[in-house]
């Protein structure tokens, strides 16, 4: 059996992170199957794959929906390693979930060792605006501080659901082309950037 | 006839010989012809019998496969329940281990069972996997099994592998062609991440494990096996964090107990048993009878062992006794305990019910019978039925999602599921009026949800009328079937879909009107070019109910314009869709108006003034529409919908009325 290198459509690996119950699975299922799942069933780690057209080019997206619940925290490192981009989700109705994004961000940076990893901060459940606990300015402030985009979504009304996945894929794609241009220099670059930051702090 | 045909079954049957004899036997061609036709009909019979057999076998096969998959999921549930039970017992043991030494022997037994299992597994690894040299001392065995490794790009099988999972090591072997195992590699489970592959181009039962040397896609044999691996990998991951401390203390205490002689343990146990007996013996009748005094412990044990029926009957027996005689001095305490246990039992049973969430509905219905029955006996029917219906909701909805993703028929599935739930519900609660009303409310809620899903996924804006009619018709039959079990939901269902359907009809009307007469017509007869084209056109029209043979002229011509012919076809198929929709009383008028409008639009088409046309031919086309097409459409509509089509009939009367010369002349003669 000789393995032929299959050059199918490009594959972009997205990981959903965030506290339990913020709507990671709901966003994933809405994106995959156009439906909103009302029941809450905590996730362990589920993966999905789908062909989509990104700016006229057919690509595949691989979504890893991870567990938000605390008792899985220790396993996360193992999952994060395989991600090329992250949707860091919290619920705008739950301040604790917003605070938790800080920890997720740190964990991802530690595992990936890359300050500019494709990353979106996502405030979900924006259909429940009347129950908002996290002010918009605070969300935008944090995103700015991290240098990442901030988007509000609703898995229920489908608002911005496609947007967050497509925006993230675009970032991943441009990172990949950038990488292939400067293949060897990159790795050193990353460390340098990282080190600089450390020194600054 | 069969007599003569028996010959075919004979082993030494030879065609040439048979034919020779036949030819000799028969006198004249006609007899031969007869024999030939007999043989032919025998052939037909045999072949249809064969088809039937194959079909019957096939159906049986499908049934069996279904049954097996039900059983499989039930086995999975059982194993799940056992696991939970085990965890529960484990917790109990941890909680009581220190205070009650007499349970110690039990603990040892169970730990020993664990250990033996691990020992057996360790032994097999040593025997079966020659390449593996590591030590497996003191490891706990978790799972083993064969999996298929798939290529990450095209998901084709690469090789068969066999996993042995222990608490802190995963041994990966390759299964060679001679079924022997060859050690490949080993991993630390804490360095592994397991992903449940939910959707990967139709690859079933697969997991993805991320190891330090990359990720691997592995396919399990069944869903159950897949879930088991996911669970066991999680246990392995958490094992070292959670169990380290516990294990050490446990094995220490075990050691101590083992050092103590077995006689000691026994005497402790019997002591414990004896004490209450002595106590009861030593006091007067003012004490509760012995069985009652120990009842609470007994009940607790019965619940833990899942002997729910026995637990309940003991509770009932105790209650009865207490009701008759509660003069003994600790009666209040015992009554309190019994009451608590009763609540506990009902909680456990409710929990039993709710763990079936998100499982296969049929299996759920079967396995909920027992807790439902018991809860009914305990007077907890209301609570039970609420939980039960909740579980059913999630079962039905996930089945629907699954079916939708696989493009299967959703309506029939939904109503069958609904009927099954209702039947099961009536079996458990038919005597409870309050519960029955819960069922009705629940059915309505589910129906509403189902309708909203239909609207969302199948009746969207811009849907083709034909597809919409098909969908609505697909709902109708199974919905009506529910009448058989006394659930009349048809009216309600129609109400839920009405608004959407009205919109779709209106939208289709506008769309269709736009297309009528869009192509420029030369007002020439329609030439089909070949005879076979003509034939197939006539056949198509006949299927739709219109006989056009009278319009044929020459070999390949139809004496109508192509646009008229096409419109006939279009109109009849739209009529069919409209008739289905018009079965709903409130949609009848809308569908009739749609038909009327497009008909009139076609009828009103005038030849372009820029071209010369034969005016007789134009009016020939018009009168064909009125005289031939319209009556057929009206009849078709009425037959399919079971309702009169007044609007079209009126159109018919209006259009044929005054300009007809013949009836007028008759009328005139009458007057004269
Ligand atoms: N109103 C509203 N509810 C939502 C939205 N997204 C999710 N939910 C609900 O929130 C609950 C939790 O959603 P999940 O998607 O299962 O949460 P999760 O982040 O995957 O949780 P874990 O798997 O435990 O990490 C469910 O009951 C959803 O129906 C939203 O945008 N709006
Ligand atoms: Mg989830």
């Amino acid at each position: 059996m000789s393995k032929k290198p299959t050059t199918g459509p490009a594959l972009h690996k997205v990981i959903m992170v965030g506290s339990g119950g913020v709507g990671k699975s709901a966003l994933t299922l809405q994106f995959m199957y156009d439906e909103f799942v009302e029941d809450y069933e905590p996730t362990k780690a589920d993966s999905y794959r789908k062909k989509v057209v990104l700016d006229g080019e057919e690509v595949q997206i691989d979504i890893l929906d991870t567990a938000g619940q605390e008792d899985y925290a220790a396993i996360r490192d193992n999952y994060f390693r395989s991600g090329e981009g992250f949707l860091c989700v919290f619920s705008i109705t739950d301040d604790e979930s917003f605070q938790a994004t800080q920890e997720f961000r740190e964990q991802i940076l530690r595992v990936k060792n890359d300050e500019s990893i494709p990353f979106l901060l996502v405030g979900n459940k924006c259909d429940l605006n009347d129950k908002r606990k996290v002010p918009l300015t605070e969300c935008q402030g944090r995103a700015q501080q991290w240098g990442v985009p901030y988007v509000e979504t609703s898995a229920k009304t489908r608002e911005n659901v496609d947007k967050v996945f497509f925006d993230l894929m675009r970032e991943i794609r441009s990172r990949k082309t950038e990488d292939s241009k400067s293949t060897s220099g990159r790795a050193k670059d990353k460390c340098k950037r990282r080190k600089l930051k450390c020194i600054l702090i | 006839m069969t007599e003569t045909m028996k010959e075919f079954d004979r082993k030494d049957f030879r065609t040439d010989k048979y034919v020779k004899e036949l030819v000799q036997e028969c006198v004249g061609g006609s007899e031969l012809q007869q024999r030939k036709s007999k043989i032919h009909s025998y052939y037909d019979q045999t072949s249809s019998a064969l088809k039937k057999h194959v079909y019957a076998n096939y159906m049986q096969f499908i049934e069996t496969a279904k049954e097996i998959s039900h059983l499989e999921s039930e086995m999975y549930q059982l194993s799940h329940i056992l696991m939970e039970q085990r965890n529960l017992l484990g917790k109990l043991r941890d909680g009581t281990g220190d205070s009650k030494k007499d349970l110690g022997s039990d603990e040892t037994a169970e730990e020993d069972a664990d250990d033996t299992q691990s020992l057996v597994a360790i032994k097999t690894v040593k025997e079966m996997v020659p390449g593996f040299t590591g030590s497996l001392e003191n490891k706990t065995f978790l799972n083993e099994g064969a999996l298929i490794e798939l290529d990450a790009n095209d998901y084709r099988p690469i090789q068969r592998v066999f996993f042995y999972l222990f608490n802190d090591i995963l041994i990966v072997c390759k299964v060679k062609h001679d079924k022997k195992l060859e050690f490949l590699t080993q991993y630390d489970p804490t360095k592994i991440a397991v992903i449940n592959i939910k959707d990967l181009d139709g690859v079933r039962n697969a997991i993805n494990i991320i190891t330090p040397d990359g990720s691997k896609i592995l396919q399990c044999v069944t869903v159950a096996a897949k879930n088991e691996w996911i669970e066991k990998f999680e246990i392995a991951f958490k094992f070292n964090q959670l169990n380290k401390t516990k294990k050490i203390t446990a094995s220490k205490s075990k050691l101590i107990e083992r050092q103590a002689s077995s006689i000691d343990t026994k005497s402790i146990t019997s002591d414990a048993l004896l004490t209450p007996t002595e106590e009861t013996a030593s006091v007067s009748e003012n004490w509760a009878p012995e069985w009652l005094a120990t009842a609470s412990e007994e009940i607790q044990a019965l619940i833990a062992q899942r002997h729910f029926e026995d637990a309940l009957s003991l509770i009932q027996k105790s209650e009865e006794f207490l009701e008759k005689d509660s003069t003994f001095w600790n009666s209040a305490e015992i009554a309190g305990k019994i009451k608590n246990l009763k609540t506990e039992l009902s909680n456990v049973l409710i929990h039993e019910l709710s763990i079936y969430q998100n499982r296969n509905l049929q299996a759920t219905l079967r396995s909920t019978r027992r807790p439902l029955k018991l809860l009914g006996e305990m007077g907890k029917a209301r609570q039970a039925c609420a939980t039960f219906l909740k579980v059913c909701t999630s079962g039905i909805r996930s089945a629907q999602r699954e079916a939708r993703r696989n493009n299967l028929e959703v309506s029939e599935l939904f109503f069958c599921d609904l009927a099954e739930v209702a039947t099961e519900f009536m079996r458990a609660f038919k005597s409870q009026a309050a519960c029955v009303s819960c069922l009705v409310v629940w059915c309505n809620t589910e129906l509403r949800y189902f309708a909203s899903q239909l609207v969302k996924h199948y009746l969207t804006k811009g849907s083709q009328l034909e597809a919409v009619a098909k969908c609505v018709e697909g709902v109708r039959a199974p919905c009506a079937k529910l009448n058989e079990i006394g659930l009349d939901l048809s009216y309600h269902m129609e109400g839920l879909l009405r608004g959407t359907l009205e919109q779709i009809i209106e939208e289709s009307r506008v769309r269709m009107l736009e297309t009528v007469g869009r192509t420029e017509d030369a007002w020439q007869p329609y030439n089909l070019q070949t005879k076979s084209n003509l034939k197939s056109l006539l056949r198509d029209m006949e299927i739709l109910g219109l006989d056009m043979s009278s319009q044929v002229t020459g070999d390949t011509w139809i004496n109508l314009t192509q646009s008229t012919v096409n419109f006939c076809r279009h109109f009849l198929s739209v009529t069919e869709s409209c008739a289905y929709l018009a079965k709903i009383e409130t949609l009848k008028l809308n569908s009739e108006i749609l038909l009327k409008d497009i008909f009139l639009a076609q009828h009103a088409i005038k030849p372009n003034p820029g071209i010369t046309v034969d005016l007789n031919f134009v009016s020939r086309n018009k009168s064909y529409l009125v005289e031939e097409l319209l009556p057929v459409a009206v009849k078709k509509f009425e037959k399919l919908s079971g309702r009169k089509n007044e609007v079209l009939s009126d159109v018919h009367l209006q259009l044929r009325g005054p300009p007809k010369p013949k009836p007028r002349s008759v009328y005139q003669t009458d007057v004269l």
Side-chain angles (χ1 to χ4, degrees):
Chain A
M1 218 204 294
S2 64
K3 263 209 278 179
K4 53 173 170 50
T6 36
T7 46
L11 178 66
H12 302 311
K13 293 183 177 175
V14 171
I15 300 192
M16 311 290 296
V17 304
S19 305
V22 298
K24 297 181 296 296
S25 305
L27 285 169
T28 308
L29 293 173
Q30 183 62 268
F31 178 72
M32 286 290 301
Y33 308 115
D34 284 346
E35 62 191 18
F36 177 59
V37 177
E38 196 80 45
D39 333 325
Y40 176 40
E41 213 186 308
T43 312
K44 286 179 186 169
D46 295 339
S47 80
Y48 301 83
R49 198 170 281 195
K50 186 181 185 171
K51 285 205 178 73
V52 293
V53 177
L54 176 66
D55 304 328
E57 171 201 11
E58 183 171 282
V59 300
Q60 281 203 85
I61 180 168
D62 184 289
I63 304 173
L64 173 59
D65 179 17
T66 62
Q69 303 217 329
E70 234 359 83
D71 40 332
Y72 291 89
I75 308 191
R76 279 186 205 131
D77 272 16
N78 295 353
Y79 292 111
F80 288 178
R81 255 174 231 123
S82 70
E84 297 169 336
F86 294 82
L87 290 181
C88 182
V89 188
F90 66 93
S91 161
I92 62 159
T93 65
D94 175 12
D95 186 58
E96 218 168 287
S97 75
F98 178 65
Q99 298 312 331
T101 57
Q102 186 74 47
E103 235 170 88
F104 281 105
R105 169 89 183 163
E106 277 160 17
Q107 191 172 6
I108 290 166
L109 293 188
R110 180 165 50 70
V111 172
K112 298 301 289 188
N113 191 19
D114 177 0
E115 288 284 338
S116 61
I117 182 89
F119 187 105
L120 255 70
L121 183 62
V122 177
N124 188 38
K125 305 201 188 180
C126 72
D127 55 297
L128 301 176
N129 203 21
D130 49 335
K131 297 211 189 84
R132 180 188 276 276
K133 294 276 158 53
V134 196
L136 184 60
T137 48
E138 207 172 312
C139 309
Q140 287 165 335
R142 177 164 293 180
Q144 201 166 21
Q145 181 199 338
W146 291 346
V148 303
Y150 174 66
V151 184
E152 299 212 332
T153 57
S154 164
K156 190 167 180 174
T157 66
R158 211 163 201 283
E159 188 173 336
N160 283 338
V161 171
D162 282 338
K163 180 180 165 60
V164 286
F165 285 99
F166 278 96
D167 282 358
L168 186 63
M169 276 191 283
R170 281 191 195 99
E171 288 212 23
I172 295 175
R173 187 184 51 188
S174 65
R175 266 304 291 268
K176 281 180 185 165
T177 38
E178 202 181 306
D179 274 6
S180 59
K181 266 185 218 148
S182 54
T183 355
S184 54
R186 184 91 233 162
K188 272 182 219 153
D189 244 26
K190 257 195 251 170
C191 295
K192 233 187 243 164
R193 206 173 331 165
R194 176 96 192 143
K195 266 193 194 129
L196 258 177
K197 186 95 179 174
C198 292
I199 293 163
L200 274 175
I201 292 164
Chain B
M1 174 153 82
T2 38
E3 268 313 297
T4 51
M5 302 309 171
K6 277 261 168 66
E7 269 185 72
F8 291 130
D9 296 336
R10 285 198 356 222
K11 266 198 192 124
D12 54 352
F13 175 78
R14 277 179 45 209
T15 340
D16 45 353
K17 191 169 151 243
Y18 179 81
V19 174
K20 216 185 248 167
E21 278 171 15
L22 202 68
V23 175
Q24 278 167 2
E25 258 174 51
C26 294
V27 189
S30 66
E31 197 178 337
L32 255 180
Q33 283 283 341
Q34 251 175 22
R35 291 293 282 270
K36 185 189 159 196
S37 77
K38 259 188 196 169
I39 293 175
H40 209 84
S41 77
Y42 181 67
Y43 162 80
D44 284 346
Q45 275 174 21
T46 319
S47 107
S48 85
L50 187 68
K51 268 184 206 149
K52 263 186 213 149
H53 277 308
V54 170
Y55 181 72
N57 276 333
Y58 184 61
M59 291 315 285
Q60 218 166 359
F61 172 75
I62 289 177
E63 281 302 311
T64 318
K66 250 191 217 161
E67 186 62 20
I68 288 176
S69 89
H70 279 173
L71 285 178
E72 185 190 271
S73 80
E74 229 155 276
M75 286 307 292
Y76 170 62
Q77 292 190 358
L78 273 180
S79 90
H80 192 80
I81 291 173
L82 278 178
M83 280 281 301
E84 266 181 17
Q85 214 53 34
R86 204 188 124 146
N87 290 345
L88 206 78
L89 281 177
K91 268 188 216 146
L92 275 177
R93 200 180 57 208
D94 288 349
T96 53
D98 304 330
S99 53
K100 290 192 183 168
K101 271 276 144 76
D102 56 325
L103 279 176
S105 54
D106 269 0
E107 185 179 329
T108 329
E110 172 154 331
E111 293 265 333
D112 277 353
D114 260 12
D115 284 356
T116 18
Q117 206 192 6
S118 296
L119 285 177
V120 170
I122 290 168
K123 209 166 141 230
T124 37
V125 173
K126 275 194 186 137
E127 279 166 11
M128 305 294 292
V129 193
F132 178 71
T133 48
S135 155
L136 293 171
E137 286 291 313
N138 293 326
K139 293 195 193 307
T140 307
F141 170 74
L142 292 173
N143 204 9
E144 65 176 11
L147 304 106
I148 301 167
E149 186 174 344
L150 304 182
D151 187 288
N153 290 316
D154 53 14
Y155 324 128
R156 270 191 313 204
I158 303 176
Q159 61 177 349
R160 300 180 141 276
V161 293
F162 200 96
F163 281 10
Y164 289 99
L165 179 64
F166 290 85
N167 60 332
D168 59 358
I169 183 171
L170 170 69
I171 301 172
V172 179
C173 316
K174 178 180 174 166
V175 182
K176 291 191 291 191
H177 292 296
D178 55 1
K179 298 266 157 65
K180 291 219 176 82
L181 300 182
E182 178 190 315
F183 174 72
L184 283 181
T185 180
Q186 67 185 61
Y187 297 109
D188 175 358
T190 56
K191 299 271 174 349
I192 283 180
V194 180
I195 298 169
N196 184 354
I197 297 181
K198 290 266 181 148
D199 192 336
L200 184 73
D201 286 343
V203 178
R204 291 205 169 264
N205 305 337
I207 54 176
N208 189 348
I209 66 169
I210 304 179
T211 70
D213 15 295
S215 78
K216 291 182 166 50
I217 299 181
L218 295 157
Q219 193 171 31
C220 308
V221 189
T222 58
V223 197
K226 161 167 144 169
N227 290 324
E228 171 126 25
W229 276 114
I230 292 174
E231 202 159 321
K232 289 296 164 58
F233 269 112
E234 192 183 332
I235 291 176
F237 186 90
K238 292 184 174 170
F239 197 92
N240 299 348
Q241 307 170 342
L242 297 177
N243 287 38
K244 226 172 217 162
T245 46
K246 200 159 85 190
K247 199 73 184 181
I248 291 166
T249 47
S251 56
K252 255 188 205 157
S253 68
K254 205 158 71 188
L255 252 178
I256 297 164
E257 270 159 38
R258 277 193 189 148
Q259 279 163 351
S261 70
S262 59
I263 302 160
D264 266 2
T265 342
K266 251 189 204 143
S267 71
I268 295 169
T269 331
S270 50
D271 265 3
L273 270 177
L274 272 173
T275 347
T277 335
E278 274 168 24
E279 268 175 33
T280 30
S282 66
V283 288
S284 61
E285 292 113 317
N286 264 348
W287 286 79
E290 189 190 335
W291 69 265
L292 187 57
T294 55
S296 67
E297 271 168 46
E298 178 87 354
I299 293 166
Q300 210 150 24
L302 287 172
I303 294 177
Q305 293 161 23
R306 300 173 53 80
H307 296 311
F308 301 132
E309 287 83 359
D310 296 342
L312 179 60
S313 71
L314 190 51
I315 289 177
Q316 284 164 340
K317 190 172 151 199
S318 312
E319 279 177 340
E320 268 167 38
F321 186 90
L322 286 164
E323 204 160 296
K324 269 187 267 164
D325 174 16
S326 53
T327 53
F328 48 91
W329 76 266
N330 59 348
S331 71
E333 185 195 331
I334 292 179
K337 268 191 195 160
I338 300 285
K339 200 169 147 225
N340 286 343
L341 283 170
K342 198 174 172 187
T343 330
E344 185 184 326
L345 176 59
S346 81
N347 287 344
V348 168
L349 288 172
I350 293 273
H351 177 70
E352 281 283 299
L353 274 183
S354 52
I355 58 171
Y356 294 109
Q357 200 127 357
N358 298 314
R359 302 269 160 76
N360 171 307
L361 185 71
Q362 276 70 25
T364 304
L365 292 180
R366 245 179 292 178
S367 357
T368 47
R369 265 177 216 163
R370 181 176 171 215
L372 282 184
K373 181 165 163 283
L374 290 168
L375 284 164
E377 272 178 44
M378 293 174 71
K380 297 277 180 197
R382 281 300 287 273
Q383 254 168 297
C385 86
T387 311
F388 173 72
L389 290 176
K390 215 163 115 195
V391 172
C392 291
T393 297
S394 91
I396 288 185
R397 291 186 186 181
S398 55
Q400 287 281 311
R401 274 202 291 277
E402 189 84 24
R404 205 161 53 234
R405 280 175 204 164
N406 295 327
N407 267 329
L408 301 176
E409 173 56 56
V410 288
S411 300
E412 190 158 350
L413 177 71
F414 173 75
F415 288 103
C416 281
D417 282 355
L418 208 63
E420 268 179 64
V421 171
T423 319
E424 199 63 43
F425 189 94
M426 294 312 270
R427 185 208 298 267
F429 302 111
K430 67 171 161 294
S431 52
Q432 319 264 345
C435 292
V436 175
S437 66
C438 278
L439 176 68
V440 175
V441 172
W442 177 82
C443 280
N444 279 334
T445 318
E446 285 312 299
L447 196 69
R448 202 167 308 135
Y449 183 78
F450 172 69
S452 73
Q453 294 296 306
L454 265 191
V455 168
K456 187 163 160 201
H457 296 281
Y458 300 96
L459 304 177
T460 44
K461 243 179 140 198
S463 304
Q464 290 299 315
L465 202 61
E466 196 180 339
V468 170
K470 217 170 181 179
C471 173
V472 173
E473 191 63 11
V475 175
R476 190 170 286 127
C479 186
K481 259 214 168 121
L482 285 186
N483 285 342
E484 286 166 21
I485 58 161
L487 267 176
D488 186 1
L489 299 175
S490 304
Y491 182 73
H492 196 67
M493 186 73 211
E494 286 173 2
L496 288 169
L497 296 180
R498 191 174 58 222
T500 312
L501 292 175
E502 270 170 13
Q503 274 173 17
I504 291 179
I505 293 177
E506 174 58 20
E507 207 183 87
S508 308
R509 193 183 68 87
V510 172
R511 206 170 49 219
M512 285 178 193
L513 277 179
E514 277 171 7
T515 56
V516 167
R518 191 179 270 171
T519 45
E520 189 66 41
D521 201 333
W523 297 96
Q524 294 294 327
Y526 182 17
N527 186 355
L528 273 298
Q529 312 294 349
T530 69
K531 275 187 187 176
S532 70
N533 280 351
L534 180 66
K535 216 165 128 190
S536 80
L537 176 80
L538 290 178
R539 196 174 348 100
D540 287 354
M541 291 312 234
E542 183 136 8
I543 289 169
L544 287 165
L546 191 61
D547 181 4
M548 258 188 189
S549 51
S550 59
Q551 305 300 318
V552 177
T553 60
D555 275 351
T556 61
W557 293 81
I558 283 198
N559 203 2
L560 292 168
T561 70
Q562 181 170 0
S563 140
T564 304
V565 173
N566 286 344
F567 179 76
C568 288
R569 186 185 303 148
H570 175 60
F571 190 67
L572 287 175
S573 86
V574 175
T575 303
E576 189 172 321
S577 305
C578 283
Y580 283 133
L581 291 172
K583 281 189 186 176
I584 300 174
E585 177 82 54
T586 46
L587 293 178
K588 187 183 157 227
L589 192 62
N590 303 50
S591 11
E592 283 176 329
I593 288 177
L594 183 152
L595 289 172
K596 176 183 134 192
D597 285 0
I598 59 172
F599 185 85
L600 288 179
Q602 174 76 20
H603 190 263
I605 293 176
K606 289 200 184 68
N608 188 336
I611 53 170
T612 43
V613 292
D614 174 1
L615 286 178
N616 274 334
F617 186 64
V618 173
S619 70
R620 184 188 158 77
N621 275 287
K622 306 237 153 155
S623 77
Y624 185 82
L625 291 180
V626 178
E627 298 300 333
E628 303 291 332
L629 176 62
L630 206 50
V632 168
V634 171
K635 215 186 292 157
K636 190 178 179 112
F637 184 95
E638 292 179 350
K639 185 169 153 238
L640 290 177
S641 69
R643 297 170 193 274
K644 283 246 158 294
N645 190 328
E646 284 113 6
V647 176
L648 280 192
S649 303
D650 283 353
V651 171
H652 188 217
L653 283 180
Q654 271 170 31
L655 291 177
R656 73 181 304 191
K660 281 250 114 178
K662 218 180 171 189
R664 198 184 277 170
S665 67
V666 171
Y667 174 73
Q668 281 168 350
T669 19
D670 262 7
V671 170
L672 286 169

